[in-house]
Every structure is written in structure tokens, then in C-alpha cells.
Amino acid sequence: MNGAPIAWLNRPVLFAGLEHTERLDFRGHLVVHGRPPAMSAEELADLAENVDLRGRGGAGFPFARKLRAVVKATARRRSRPVVVVNGTEGEPSCLKDAALLLRTPHLVLDGALLAADALDADQVVLGVTRADTEQSLRRALDERRFMRLPVSVVRLPERFVSGEGSALARGITSGIALPRGGGVRTSDSGVGGLPTLLSNAETYAQLAVAARLGALPYREVGLPSEPGTVLLTLAGSQVVETPTGVPLTELLALFGMDVGQGVLVGGYHGKWLTAEAAARALVSRQSMQSLGGALGAGAVLPLPATTCPLGEVLRIAGWLAEETAGQCGPCYLGLPALVKALEEVVRGGGRAALELVENRMRAVTKRGACSHPDAASRFVASALEVFDDDLQLHSYQRGCGRPVQDVLPLPVVESAGSIVVDWTLCEAHGLCTSVLPEVISLEADGFPAAGVMPVPPQLLQQAARAVDRCPALALRIQ
């Protein structure tokens, strides 16, 4: 089974029953957890509020508020809602939801079905991007045989933006997994235009656990202000379930890690903590925020002293720019421009390069169709603040002297071929980049930045459209 190693501190809750087995089938799940109770929407909302259940996908939005918003939208529109499980997890530094879907999928299904019954939902949809999680969920549905309402699994393109709420709802509806923009909430209009309760896999698993235990037993673990356990992905490879309130340094030490030069918390849409701040941090949303970080999607990435911090940041910023949905200028133009400016800083561009980076960050903030450009800019800004000493070395002394060791994980993308430019024909129309911004970028003169550009398998059809779009017939797929 293609999943990260899992571990737990003290008694496992979400991972209960996995001490001696690789995966809990439905029979084993019932032996460990039993059947969840039936609850009304208001009872479920009260429970979620009592245990302060928040979305575990990154934003941390209170689940009770989201549930009540769907109830109101359903009553207003006189329609039945849809319940969606976000199991896409498009960030390479985060594997916790995949671990749940691969190892204990029935706990996630329980939470989703519990919410669906409470809302009298029309259907439940499980959105994923990985082949193994899709297979695990389909197997789990087969094990259940009979369910009271339709439950389906939809596999979307494995891209970072596929997990954005409106992109997921749009992808389930039409197959086009791109952010919708416009500020419309999925609770009002999501899948098929219906009110949609959308949350990530861990959130539904936590809901199932809380419903079985009740509020008071659930609150016996973790901090009084943030009860329960959380799932974290350490260094992009190890998934661990831990009660809230555990010191971050103690948790890292258990797995042979330390805070190093600093720790990225919340993943690539998160923030950096200095080594000093990380040494004081607890596994807690409030603790991380008070120190300048964000627990977010639960990714914890310590940076070893042996690698170049700004080189690592540049790698991730480049990937974030490539993951643009290509729908708005701040994203498909602004983020690549920010990366180029950051490259100049790393190469020793001095004060002018630093000012250009600051200008590029301002240009993308609060102007995108979704939160991706804001979060990517925030990631860069946080790094420049935390690694200020290295920033000075790179800006004015041409480097810190350390190699880039590729510590921060990125997906391994196999190329399905390459777009090749015939320079004798190219007339710099630029139409190709509007079709394939993930692969083709343009220089200031309007010509492609490279003559040969690898194309990932999932973009091969898009690459063919870019070739057809070129009026000068200057492109071909090799």
C-alpha cells in the first residue's frame, strides 16, 4: 500500500485499531469503533461547537458554522444539499488525509454519512486525486454493500488547486477542477449549484470519533481550548497522531528531528517559524499563530542547518507558480514574475532585487480569483523575514555557501514528452502560453523562455491544443 508510515503518541484515536493491521476493513472497523449514533443537524452542530471542531484542511473554519450555513441555505432554497469529502491533498508535504483514506477509510465515511443523514442530503461525494486512495475508497464502499443514499468517488487531476473548495465542487460537477472565484460559498452553491457541506477527510473522521465518544470524553485528550488529537505530516514523510499541547521540539525529537534553521508549519500555504519560536511552540493552532506561524493542513517541515534556506524557498515558490490555475493575472503572470525577482535576490541582486520582490508580492496580494497567489506570496514573505541573515548574504555577498539539498518535498513528475519551439517560425504571438501556462512562459520580448519544455502526462492534451493554437506553426510535441 502506497502510504506514509504512521505513528501515534499515547493512545491512538483516529488510528485506533491499526496497531496490528495495515488497514481496517468494515468488519474490523465495527469491532474497533462500533456504529455511530444518529444525530440531527442541530445536535451535530452543537457537538462540533462543544469540541471546537475546525476544518483540518488548512483554513481552520469552524465546522459548526459551516454546517448551520448549509442548513440555512437548504431551507431558503428548499433543496437537498450535497456532502463532499475533500481527499485531494494536492500538497506534496502533506500525507495525513491519504493515510486516513488508505488505512481507515470507514471512519471518514462514517463522518460524511453522519452529516449527510443529519442534513437529509441528496448524495455524498468523495473527491480524490490519487489512484490508491480512489481504489481504497471504492473497496470500502463495496465492503459496506448497502447505504441509505448514493455515495460516489470522483477522481480529479492531481494538482494543487484541485483541493480548493470551489475548484473541487466545480470539478465534481463538470470535470473542470478550477477555482470559481466571485466569492460564492459552497455552502450556498457548490456541487450542481446545490448547497454543499465540504470539508476534508480528517475533519469527517474527527466528527465520527466525537459523535461516538460524546463531547466530554472527547475533551479529555489535548488542550482544554483545543481538545482532541491532530494528524501531522513530519518532513513530508511521517504521519503522526498527537494530542494537542505537545511541545513541537519533543514531537520532532521522537522521530530523530530537530528545529534546525527554522520550521515551516502549515505547509506551502503556511508560514515559517524561527528556530527560537519553534523551540517554544506547542502543537496548537493558537500557539502557532501567537509565534507567527499557522497549523494549517498539519504539515511540519524542519529545515536542517546543512541546506540553503533561500534556495529551498525558491524551489517551492517556483512550483507554486507552476501550479497556477491560469485564470487570473495575479496568479499566472504575477507568481512567475515574483519567482524571477526572487531568483535575482538569491543570485546577489542587492537592494534593487529586494525591492522588486516586495513590489511583486504587493502586486499579487488580494487580487487573485482564489487564495493561491496570496498564500504563495505569504510563504515567500515569511521566509524572507525568518531567514533575514541569509537574505543579506545572498543579496550582497552572492550566497550563503551552502548547497540546496532539496529537503522540502516536491512531486516527482514524469514527462510525457516535450513542447519544442522552431525558432525560425516563432513570431511571439504568445497564444500558446494562454493555453499552457503551466509549461510555457514568455520572456519580456514575448518569445518562449526555452526551446524545449517538458510536458507532464496530465497536461499532454492541453499541450496538443497549444500546438494547434500557434498561428505560425512553430510548436510541435516531441
Side-chain angles (χ1 to χ4, degrees), residues 6 9 20 37 71 81 83 95 101 117-118 125 137 162 209 259 269 278 286 290 298 302 340 379 392 406 443 447 469:
I6 64 170
L9 272 65
H20 306 294
V71 170
V83 170
L95 303 169
L101 297 175
D117 286 343
V125 185
L137 285 170
S162 294
V209 167
V259 299
H269 272 186
Q286 186 176 2
S290 69
K340 286 186 178 181
F379 165 79
Q392 301 306 316
D406 297 352
E443 296 287 8
F447 285 91
R469 186 82 178 268

Side-chain angles (χ1 to χ4, degrees), residues 35 45 63 84 113 138 173 235 241 351 363 366 411 432 434 472:
R35 294 187 183 275
F63 186 81
V84 172
L113 290 168
R138 293 193 185 282
T173 302
E241 181 180 7
R351 184 66 237 171
K366 296 182 180 180
C432 53
S434 66

Side-chain angles (χ1 to χ4, degrees), residues 154-333:
V154 175
R155 188 171 170 197
L156 301 169
E158 194 162 354
R159 297 187 57 206
F160 195 52
V161 296
S162 294
E164 194 269 343
S166 67
L168 178 56
R170 189 177 175 188
I172 291 169
T173 302
S174 67
I176 303 172
L178 295 174
R180 181 171 53 185
V184 178
R185 294 178 179 176
T186 55
S187 58
D188 290 322
S189 177
V191 173
L194 295 171
T196 300
L197 179 69
L198 190 155
S199 205
N200 86 310
E202 186 192 346
T203 310
Y204 285 110
Q206 293 282 2
L207 183 68
V209 167
R212 284 181 171 91
L213 293 178
L216 290 179
Y218 185 94
R219 296 183 67 91
E220 289 175 0
V221 176
L223 294 168
S225 58
E226 297 178 41
T229 67
V230 295
L231 295 185
L232 302 176
T233 310
L234 305 182
S237 59
Q238 173 75 59
V239 178
V240 58
E241 181 180 7
T242 175
T244 57
V246 173
L248 183 60
T249 50
E250 292 184 16
L251 180 66
L252 291 174
L254 287 173
F255 297 95
M257 305 176 198
D258 58 39
V259 299
Q261 301 179 68
V263 180
L264 178 62
V265 289
Y268 299 156
H269 272 186
K271 293 182 179 181
W272 288 92
L273 294 177
T274 64
E276 295 75 18
R280 304 197 308 272
L282 304 178
V283 176
S284 154
R285 186 180 63 256
Q286 186 176 2
S287 174
M288 298 280 187
Q289 287 176 349
S290 69
L291 294 166
L295 188 58
V300 177
L301 296 147
L303 198 67
T306 52
T307 193
C308 169
L310 293 189
E312 296 281 354
V313 168
L314 181 58
R315 289 176 56 245
I316 304 307
W319 179 75
L320 290 171
E322 290 171 359
E323 287 297 297
T324 172
Q327 295 190 121
C328 65
C331 202
Y332 78 84
L333 295 176

Side-chain angles (χ1 to χ4, degrees), residues 14 18 23-36 85 99-114 126 136-147 201 204-209 212:
L14 299 178
L18 294 175
R23 178 186 183 274
L24 280 179
D25 62 11
F26 190 41
R27 184 187 299 270
H29 167 76
L30 290 177
V31 170
V32 173
H33 295 285
R35 294 187 183 275
V85 177
L100 279 172
L101 297 175
L102 292 171
R103 309 291 292 277
T104 181
H106 290 284
L107 197 60
V108 179
L109 282 171
D110 276 352
L113 290 168
L114 187 67
L126 308 155
S136 178
L137 285 170
R138 293 193 185 282
R139 178 180 169 189
L141 294 177
D142 288 341
E143 290 167 354
R144 291 197 172 220
R145 297 182 183 176
F146 173 76
M147 281 173 289
Y204 285 110
Q206 293 282 2
L207 183 68
V209 167
R212 284 181 171 91

